[in-house]
Amino acid sequence: MKIAIVGAGAIGGYVGAKLALAGEEVSFMVRGANLEAIRRNGMRLIMEDGTEHVADQVAASDDYRKTGPQDLVILALKAHQLDAVGHELHHLLGPQTCIVTMQNGIPYWYFHKTGGALEGSSLKMVDPSGKLSEQIPPARVIGCVVYPASELVAPGVVRHFEGERFPLGELDGSHSERVQRISESFAKAGFKAPVLDDIRSEIWLKLWGNLSFNPISALTHSTLVDICQFPLTRELAAALMTEAQTIAHKLGISFRVPLDKRIAGAEKIGKHKTSMLKDVEAGRALEIDALVGSVIELGRLTATPTPQLDTVYALVKLLAKTFEEERGQLQLRRVA
């Protein structure tokens, strides 16, 4: 297939490199240092066992119009970064182009083809203007949950730490020809990409940990094992997860793993820094609204109190505001 990977960071670089090495025609839509590095050297992938692979038969471009229509577009950006590329995506879309969304958190398309009273509702936390639903039509979307851990260690260089699961699912739960074709392509590249009947339940299972451990780690600068083994933060994580579970149950979601086991699983990972903590340390914008704000919004829609989530959300939003002001002041000093 002709596949465009929008974003060549930790996950986009990993997925794109593996697909290219398996024989797919891959184009990375990137800018800056990443663009130049991939054009010059291809996408370099360092696996967890230390082996290195270079996908040198890939294209890299910042010109969506020139790249043109694809069979598959993979959105490998964070949720808050989609707005910046949404207006360009139509250049990559042909009549049958599918879009795989790889964002953490509650997606903008959540209520597309769900049925029930909230069918077609939009979530202001992830799509405040409604533009995403217009620019990235949900009818084209295949949902995906990202489980691997990797890191962009240099422009055009990704180090993979662990994991290979990318469960996929149609938004209506069907096992269509297109989702089966994408699953087969992923499997050929060495990924585990089963087609699920209920992609939303899988999204909640991943989100369950993200909405609790990410903000706590960002606020405390602590790793997963630290949070899980310190009684007060373990209790806080459980409280956040319980509020979220109550909301999810009202939306018809079932969890295949009990809460205590989910926390124990995070503890076993050890001294791992969450993505939000890494963003704090790197001075990047924080992925708050998709991970926490959207769940609070769903709480309002289902008349579910979220006192613990509200408190943590307020604290992390203030942290993000402080960082943003500091970045602005730093830029002004540089200009001066």
Side-chain angles (χ1 to χ4, degrees):
M1 290 191 291
K2 291 182 66 176
I3 302 174
I5 312 288
V6 181
I11 295 302
Y14 172 52
V15 172
K18 293 273 282 183
L19 287 170
L21 290 167
E24 305 291 8
E25 185 179 339
V26 173
S27 297
F28 287 102
M29 307 309 300
V30 287
R31 297 177 298 178
N34 243 354
L35 173 61
E36 296 306 317
I38 297 170
R39 279 180 171 172
R40 186 169 57 250
N41 304 314
M43 176 59 73
R44 181 178 162 212
L45 179 61
I46 306 169
M47 297 302 293
E48 56 187 309
D49 62 2
T51 59
E52 297 190 19
H53 309 272
V54 178
D56 53 10
Q57 300 299 312
V58 298
S61 177
D62 57 0
D63 189 337
Y64 286 68
R65 185 187 300 273
K66 185 176 180 180
T67 300
Q70 305 287 301
D71 298 313
L72 173 63
V73 174
I74 297 177
L75 297 181
L77 302 172
K78 292 187 177 180
H80 60 270
Q81 298 171 326
L82 291 179
D83 270 338
V85 302
H87 67 287
E88 297 271 27
L89 288 179
H90 68 279
H91 296 301
L92 303 178
L93 305 181
Q96 304 299 321
T97 306
C98 300
I99 301 173
V100 168
T101 53
M102 289 190 169
Q103 288 66 56
N104 285 325
I106 299 294
Y108 72 92
W109 49 257
Y110 189 85
F111 287 114
H112 182 73
K113 293 188 177 180
T114 55
L118 294 173
E119 166 69 33
S121 297
S122 61
L123 292 170
K124 301 301 182 184
M125 282 290 179
V126 288
D127 190 13
S129 66
K131 285 184 179 179
L132 288 182
S133 294
E134 295 177 5
Q135 296 169 341
I136 314 171
R140 292 184 181 268
V141 168
I142 302 293
C144 180
V145 180
V146 175
Y147 282 109
S150 55
E151 183 178 2
L152 185 71
V153 294
V157 183
V158 168
R159 180 182 294 276
H160 173 251
F161 296 109
E162 58 91 20
E164 54 192 15
R165 291 188 65 237
F166 291 91
L168 301 164
E170 287 278 10
L171 307 195
D172 63 0
S174 64
H175 286 229
S176 65
E177 181 182 346
R178 67 179 190 174
V179 73
Q180 294 287 1
R181 187 172 68 251
I182 295 167
S183 175
E184 290 167 5
S185 175
F186 274 44
K188 181 182 172 185
F191 300 127
K192 294 179 180 177
V195 177
L196 304 183
D197 298 331
D198 183 5
I199 193 65
R200 290 175 182 81
S201 287
E202 197 71 19
I203 285 171
W204 273 97
L205 185 60
K206 172 80 183 292
L207 174 61
W208 216 12
N210 284 341
L211 66 82
S212 54
F213 299 122
N214 271 269
I216 294 173
S217 70
L219 292 167
T220 63
H221 289 241
S222 299
T223 66
L224 287 177
V225 69
D226 298 323
I227 294 168
C228 294
Q229 291 185 352
F230 186 63
L232 294 178
T233 48
R234 187 186 186 98
E235 183 179 341
L236 175 58
L240 296 170
M241 294 168 75
T242 299
E243 289 182 0
Q245 186 175 34
T246 301
I247 296 166
H249 282 166
K250 289 184 178 181
L251 293 170
I253 298 299
S254 58
F255 291 79
R256 58 182 172 82
V257 175
L259 190 151
D260 288 345
K261 188 173 180 179
R262 183 68 176 84
I263 294 177
E267 184 177 357
K268 286 180 182 177
I269 295 174
K271 291 281 186 180
H272 173 74
K273 293 182 180 180
T274 69
S275 59
M276 192 176 288
L277 176 54
K278 290 178 182 178
D279 287 342
V280 165
E281 292 177 343
R284 295 188 291 259
L286 305 186
E287 195 176 14
I288 305 169
D289 290 337
L291 298 186
V292 185
S294 60
V295 180
I296 292 173
E297 185 175 356
L298 290 174
R300 304 292 185 266
L301 290 172
T302 56
T304 308
T306 54
Q308 304 282 6
L309 285 165
D310 292 347
T311 299
V312 168
Y313 178 73
L315 294 173
V316 183
K317 287 293 279 188
L318 178 56
L319 179 66
K321 178 177 179 290
T322 301
F323 285 158
E324 185 177 355
E325 290 173 349
E326 289 176 351
R327 284 195 299 270
Q329 292 171 0
L330 181 59
Q331 290 173 354
L332 286 175
R333 287 198 294 271
R334 285 175 177 171
V335 172

